[in-house]
Amino acid sequence: MASYRVIYEDPDCPEQAAMVLVPTDNWLDDAMAGKLPPISVYWELQDDEQRAIDEGKHDTFKHDLNKWEKQFTAPRIGELTEEEAMEYLVMKDIPRKVWSVEYNRPMFKIVKTEKVPSDRQFRNAWEMTQ
């Protein structure tokens, strides 16, 4: 089980509750075994999808097969620690505007699992604190 979670907020929707990103055990095992491609592989696919959305063609969009296959054929980046794997996951699965732009406060945090409330009763009220 992963020792970390990522808590993040959407800077475009500050009134929205914080979100929690939880890596699967299989993904984390692959990351720590060195089975991941460079992050740029995923960024190329995301850029193509965003371009299709911007052009209003998302409903007919299909990935370039060569770019899509790079997920499986690109050279692997090597073994990552759990902390490095979480940083990779941030760059892969959280919108870039959350982590690549400097705001007046952090938009994401990588935290120990036990810091995330297990009581889901107030999950829509979670906030990130400094």
Side-chain angles (χ1 to χ4, degrees):
M1 183 173 165
S3 303
Y4 296 96
R5 304 289 189 256
V6 181
I7 309 288
Y8 69 100
E9 295 178 335
D10 184 343
D12 293 339
C13 301
E15 70 286 346
Q16 194 176 48
M19 293 162 267
V20 181
L21 177 62
V22 180
T24 66
D25 291 336
N26 290 340
W27 183 88
L28 191 56
D29 290 344
D30 285 351
M32 295 175 74
K35 297 180 180 179
L36 300 179
I39 194 70
S40 60
V41 168
Y42 294 110
W43 288 349
E44 282 185 64
L45 296 171
Q46 291 169 1
D47 289 345
D48 289 349
E49 289 174 18
Q50 188 59 53
R51 208 170 4 266
I53 290 169
D54 293 345
E55 294 172 0
K57 300 177 183 175
H58 195 261
D59 54 340
T60 60
F61 173 75
K62 291 190 182 190
H63 280 292
D64 174 276
L65 190 56
N66 291 328
K67 287 182 184 179
W68 185 82
E69 286 177 343
K70 283 184 186 179
Q71 297 174 79
F72 313 104
T73 60
R76 307 291 95 172
I77 60 172
E79 296 177 0
L80 300 176
T81 64
E82 187 173 359
E83 293 83 2
E84 291 169 332
M86 294 305 293
E87 292 171 357
Y88 182 103
L89 190 62
V90 165
M91 293 187 295
K92 176 183 170 290
D93 288 344
I94 293 180
R96 287 186 216 168
K97 65 183 176 188
V98 171
W99 56 265
S100 68
V101 178
E102 190 172 326
Y103 297 94
N104 62 353
R105 65 182 179 84
M107 290 289 117
F108 79 96
K109 287 184 182 183
I110 299 172
V111 299
K112 288 282 198 179
T113 300
E114 59 268 10
K115 294 284 188 180
V116 178
S118 59
D119 178 0
R120 305 284 288 170
Q121 180 179 1
F122 299 106
R123 66 179 171 214
N124 290 334
W126 292 355
E127 291 182 355
M128 285 183 35
T129 58
Q130 300 214 16

